[in-house]
């Protein structure tokens, strides 16, 4: 199907045989199937709205099968553990669990420092949550436990609610640590409640609002925050507590100011043998009590102070876990349930908080180790948690004299992977500068405003950027690619030619309240016709003609009255006329006399418009106005995913405006949900019917060429909204 060029064979025709080329030249522009507008398509395909499934009925069903399905859905260990291939996976999981535990031990101690807590609570947070995730999680490879980003977010909360010093006077260290533990454990319970609640209402999609550039920019800035927070341990400095916006800048300045007071540092053995803590005041881990702490209820009075931070930590922790989980699932060919991951992570934090843990997520470095050392399931996580339990119960005292500087060094070394993300700036500059802008804004906001406010600013900015990008989509006038039914942007495809007398317009984004006005303006601009000027000139000229016609009518009426008054009022009456005829004539005369001047003006207006038409029916031509060089406009609406009331009004106004300048408007390529929304919004009426909507652009172009003027028997033009 196509429109052959009579001037000579095209390049594509050179590939065909001579007979085929001649046949193409003889063809007219036509379809090799019947033209399909929306009415014909619905009739042919027997279209009907899809039946609505009432999901709530399924949720309320109560049966043995339903109960079993819910149990297996929310306790996945019952699904995969009975099928666990012991011979194939057990050895790999055992080695992987031990490797992860070796990493988990120093990281747990170190990340507790980040959270502003005694190091032993990092070990507790490396045991309880890991074992809970073993029961409820769906990812086979992520390593749940302490994580630098989460720990520094917790640390900012604990230091603000239980500061190091108050009014320049030091607070009792034991009381301060107890207060911070209560804050951190209560925060963990609240984070768990948020995550479990969001998971149960299937709110796992919330993480989709955290794009990859946003997450990577945020974690990079968090890594910088973590690095700066460890400088005081590396150099053995006692710094003031800073929180809130610009706290990172203040900390760096104070470190630089007190750098001459730094102390040399050794490792655990040197520390113990030389008594560095007592002789040189080197800060060490200190007492690690053997055994587990009893569960404790959270302090509900702190909920109001922690609710904002808890929600932020819940979202960030889930975003990191689900991102890593999906990477490993894609690599190894299984599926991760985002809603169940929310529940699993929430239960890990909820139960962990009751046992004095602080909020956790998954660690990037430990997850990579768990996968690379042969881990195949969360059995590796269970083994690592049991190893940590052994450390807590029996071997914790061995780390009593470990300098905190060593833990700080461990933290800094583990930041290497996240700090490498700084190279994203170069790659995003080449790939997508909009994503680079999101990365930079997220990074700078997190550095300057701290972790909680930085995330809020980043999310708001990324959403605003999405709106702005939909407000400025790519608008194009389409032309036909030779010898095909394909239409492409004539500015991008040099061989794509506009069909004579037809304009095809397309937007790359859906039309809604934020960009509907831009869509209309771009359409009128790309068509090369000043639509608004033509309409205003047409109205002015028609009004002028109507006024002249009315003046002429009034002049004639005045002359008739003058002639009647000069002849007198005598009227001859036929004596043979009946009384009924006389009454009838009197009634008609009364009606004519009672006709208002407005009615006469309307008659004059109607007669004026009829008289203003040219022989070919064009009012613009008769008024001396330029006619558009096209008779049909086709709106390619294939990009529409939904319509709102503003979109409906804009489309109706487009029909009205272009019909005013004698251009018929058609629509093409609407998806079925969009058609249903158009019907629900009462878009179709007497003036715009489904006959104006076609299955494809090519159908609409073919129909427009077969009807080069607006259909004569079409109803009056649509009213502008």
């Amino acid at each position: 199907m196509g429109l052959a060029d009579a001037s000579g064979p095209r390049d594509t025709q050179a590939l065909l045989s001579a007979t085929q080329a001649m046949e193409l030249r003889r063809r007219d522009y036509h379809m090799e199937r019947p033209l399909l507008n929306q009415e014909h398509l619905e009739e042919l395909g027997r279209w009907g709205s899809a039946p609505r499934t009432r999901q709530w009925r399924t949720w309320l069903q109560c049966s043995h099968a339903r109960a079993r399905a819910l149990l297996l859905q929310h306790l996945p260990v019952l699904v995969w553990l009975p099928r666990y291939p012991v011979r194939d996976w057990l050895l790999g999981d055992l080695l992987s669990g031990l490797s992860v535990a070796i990493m988990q031990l120093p990281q747990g101690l170190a990340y507790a420092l980040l959270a502003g807590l005694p190091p032993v609570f990092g070990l507790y947070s490396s045991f309880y949550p890991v074992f809970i995730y073993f029961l409820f999680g769906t990812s086979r490879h992520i390593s749940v436990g302490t994580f630098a980003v989460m720990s520094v977010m917790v640390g900012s909360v604990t230091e603000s609610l239980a500061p190091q010093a108050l009014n320049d006077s030091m607070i009792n260290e034991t009381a301060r640590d107890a207060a911070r533990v209560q804050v951190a454990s209560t925060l963990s319970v609240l984070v768990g409640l948020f995550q479990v609640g969001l998971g149960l209402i299937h709110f796992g999609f919330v993480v989709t609002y955290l794009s990859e550039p946003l997450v990577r920019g945020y974690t990079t800035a968090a890594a910088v925050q973590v690095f700066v927070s460890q400088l005081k341990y590396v150099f053995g400095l006692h710094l003031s507590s800073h929180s809130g916006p610009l706290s990172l800048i203040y900390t760096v300045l104070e470190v630089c100011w007190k750098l001459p007071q730094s102390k040399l540092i050794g490792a655990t053995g040197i520390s113990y043998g030389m008594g560095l803590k007592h002789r040189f005041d080197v800060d060490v881990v200190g007492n690690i009590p053997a055994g587990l702490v009893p569960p404790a209820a959270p302090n509900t009075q702190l909920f109001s102070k922690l609710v904002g931070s808890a929600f932020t930590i819940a979202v960030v922790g889930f975003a990191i876990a689900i991102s890593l989980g999906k990477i490993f699932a894609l690599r190894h060919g299984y599926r991760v349930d985002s809603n169940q991951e929310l529940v699993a992570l929430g239960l890990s934090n909820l139960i962990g908080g009751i046992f004095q843990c602080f909020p956790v997520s998954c660690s990037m470095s430990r997850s990579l180790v768990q996968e690379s050392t042969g881990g195949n399931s969360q059995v590796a996580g269970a083994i690592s948690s049991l190893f940590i339990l052994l450390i807590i119960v029996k071997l914790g005292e061995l780390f009593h004299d470990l300098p905190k500087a060593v833990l700080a060094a461990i933290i800094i070394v583990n930041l290497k992977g996240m700090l490498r993300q700084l190279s994203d700036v170069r790659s995003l500059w080449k790939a997508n500068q909009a994503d680079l802008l999101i990365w930079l804004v997220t990074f700078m906001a997190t550095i300057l405003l701290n972790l909680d406010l930085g995330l809020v600013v980043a999310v708001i900015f990324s959403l605003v950027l999405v709106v702005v990008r939909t407000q400025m989509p790519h608008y194009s006038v389409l032309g036909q690619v030779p010898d095909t039914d394909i239409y492409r942007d004539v500015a991008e495809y040099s061989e794509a030619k506009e069909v004579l007398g037809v304009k095809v317009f397309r937007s790359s984004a859906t039309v809604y309240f934020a960009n509907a006005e831009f869509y209309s303006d771009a359409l009128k601009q790309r068509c090369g016709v000043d639509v608004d000027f033509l309409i205003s000139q047409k109205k002015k000229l028609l009004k002028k003609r109507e006024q002249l016609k009315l003046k002429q009518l009034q002049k004639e009426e005045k002359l008739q009255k003058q002639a009647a008054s000069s002849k007198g009022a005598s009227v001859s009456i036929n004596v043979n006329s009946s009384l009924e005829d006389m009454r009838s004539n009197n009634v008609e005369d009364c009606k004519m006399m009672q006709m208002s001047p407005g009615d006469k003006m309307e008659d004059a207006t109607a007669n004026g418009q009829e008289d203003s038409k040219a022989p070919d029916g064009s009012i613009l031509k008769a008024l001396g106005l330029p006619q558009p060089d096209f008779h049909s406009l086709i709106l390619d609406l294939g990009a529409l995913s939904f319509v709102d009331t503003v979109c409906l009004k804009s489309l109706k106004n487009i029909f009205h405006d272009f019909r005013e300048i004698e251009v018929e408007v058609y629509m093409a390529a609407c998806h079925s949900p969009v058609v249903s929304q158009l019907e629900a919004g009462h878009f179709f009426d007497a003036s715009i019917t489904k006959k104006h909507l076609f299955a494809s652009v090519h159908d609409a172009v073919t129909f427009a060429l077969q009807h080069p003027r607006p259909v004569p028997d079409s109803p009056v033009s649509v009213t502008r909204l």
Side-chain angles (χ1 to χ4, degrees), residues 6-247:
S7 61
R10 295 190 177 90
D11 294 338
T12 53
Q13 294 176 357
L15 302 175
L16 304 173
S17 65
T19 305
Q20 291 173 318
M22 291 293 292
E23 178 63 21
L24 281 174
R25 290 193 185 95
R26 285 195 297 266
R27 287 184 183 180
D28 291 325
Y29 198 98
H30 72 286
M31 297 283 293
E32 294 181 355
R33 58 168 172 78
L35 291 179
L36 291 177
N37 58 33
Q38 187 63 27
E39 285 187 356
H40 296 153
L41 184 61
E42 291 177 5
E43 182 180 354
L44 182 64
R46 296 183 181 179
W47 177 79
S49 57
R52 296 182 180 180
T53 56
R54 302 188 183 275
Q55 189 68 33
W56 58 270
R57 290 184 177 179
T58 306
W59 295 341
L60 297 179
Q61 286 179 355
C62 184
S63 64
H64 175 75
R66 175 67 178 159
R68 185 175 183 275
L70 283 175
L71 179 64
L72 296 180
Q73 177 185 352
H74 294 295
L75 199 60
V77 68
L78 298 179
V79 177
W80 62 266
L81 191 59
R83 307 173 186 173
Y84 183 78
V86 178
R87 293 184 179 180
D88 298 332
W89 286 7
L90 183 59
L91 181 60
D93 283 339
L94 179 62
L95 295 176
S96 176
L98 293 175
S99 302
V100 170
I102 292 172
M103 287 186 67
Q104 185 89 280
L105 172 61
Q107 285 186 358
L109 296 171
Y111 292 158
L113 295 180
L114 281 180
L117 304 174
V120 68
F121 290 92
L123 296 181
Y124 299 151
S125 301
S126 301
F127 167 63
Y128 290 105
V130 178
F131 194 78
I132 297 300
Y133 185 82
F134 162 76
L135 300 175
F136 295 95
T138 59
S139 175
R140 297 188 343 222
H141 294 90
I142 65 171
S143 175
V144 172
T146 56
F147 182 50
V149 175
M150 299 288 288
S151 298
V152 77
M153 293 179 76
V154 174
S156 66
V157 177
T158 57
E159 288 185 8
S160 63
L161 295 181
Q164 180 84 17
L166 189 62
N167 297 329
D168 296 329
S169 60
M170 298 301 295
I171 298 177
N172 180 273
E173 189 172 326
T174 303
R176 180 207 65 192
D177 289 346
R180 287 185 174 182
V181 168
Q182 187 179 52
V183 170
S185 60
T186 302
L187 180 63
S188 182
V189 170
L190 201 53
V191 168
L193 289 174
F194 272 124
Q195 291 175 332
V196 171
L198 293 175
L200 291 177
I201 63 174
H202 290 210
F203 210 66
F205 70 89
V206 69
V207 75
T208 59
Y209 295 104
L210 304 179
S211 64
E212 184 179 358
L214 188 150
V215 172
R216 292 177 70 88
Y218 185 79
T219 53
T220 305
V224 175
Q225 293 263 15
V226 171
F227 177 82
V228 171
S229 70
Q230 295 308 294
L231 293 178
K232 63 180 180 181
Y233 297 114
V234 171
F235 296 109
L237 302 175
H238 295 282
L239 304 179
S240 304
S241 177
H242 301 288
S243 61
L246 300 179
S247 60

Side-chain angles (χ1 to χ4, degrees), residues 405-422:
V406 175
L407 298 181
I410 293 172
I411 293 174
I412 292 173
V413 169
N414 280 283
L415 295 176
K416 179 176 62 176
M418 285 188 286
L419 291 175
R420 281 178 178 172
Q421 294 176 160
L422 287 168

Side-chain angles (χ1 to χ4, degrees), residues 689-717:
T689 68
K690 289 186 178 180
K691 292 180 180 179
H692 293 89
L693 176 58
F694 288 86
S696 69
V697 172
H698 196 62
D699 287 271
V701 171
T702 305
F703 182 84
L705 290 175
Q706 295 174 359
H707 303 81
R709 286 286 113 192
V711 183
D713 59 351
S714 61
V716 294
S717 61

Side-chain angles (χ1 to χ4, degrees), residues 425-437:
V425 174
R426 183 177 59 183
S427 59
L428 288 175
W429 174 261
K430 298 177 181 179
N432 192 312
Q433 295 183 6
D435 284 348
L436 173 62
L437 189 60

Side-chain angles (χ1 to χ4, degrees), residues 101 103-113 117-130 145-146 285 287-292 355-358 360 384-385 387-397 399 407:
M103 287 186 67
Q104 185 89 280
L105 172 61
Q107 285 186 358
L109 296 171
Y111 292 158
L113 295 180
L117 304 174
V120 68
F121 290 92
L123 296 181
Y124 299 151
S125 301
S126 301
F127 167 63
Y128 290 105
V130 178
T146 56
V285 168
N287 182 43
I288 299 180
L292 300 172
F355 287 93
Q356 310 294 293
C357 301
F358 56 87
V360 299
S384 69
S385 67
F387 186 83
I388 295 297
L389 177 62
L390 178 64
I391 299 294
I392 294 172
V393 174
K394 293 294 183 184
L395 305 178
E397 60 185 17
F399 300 95
L407 298 181

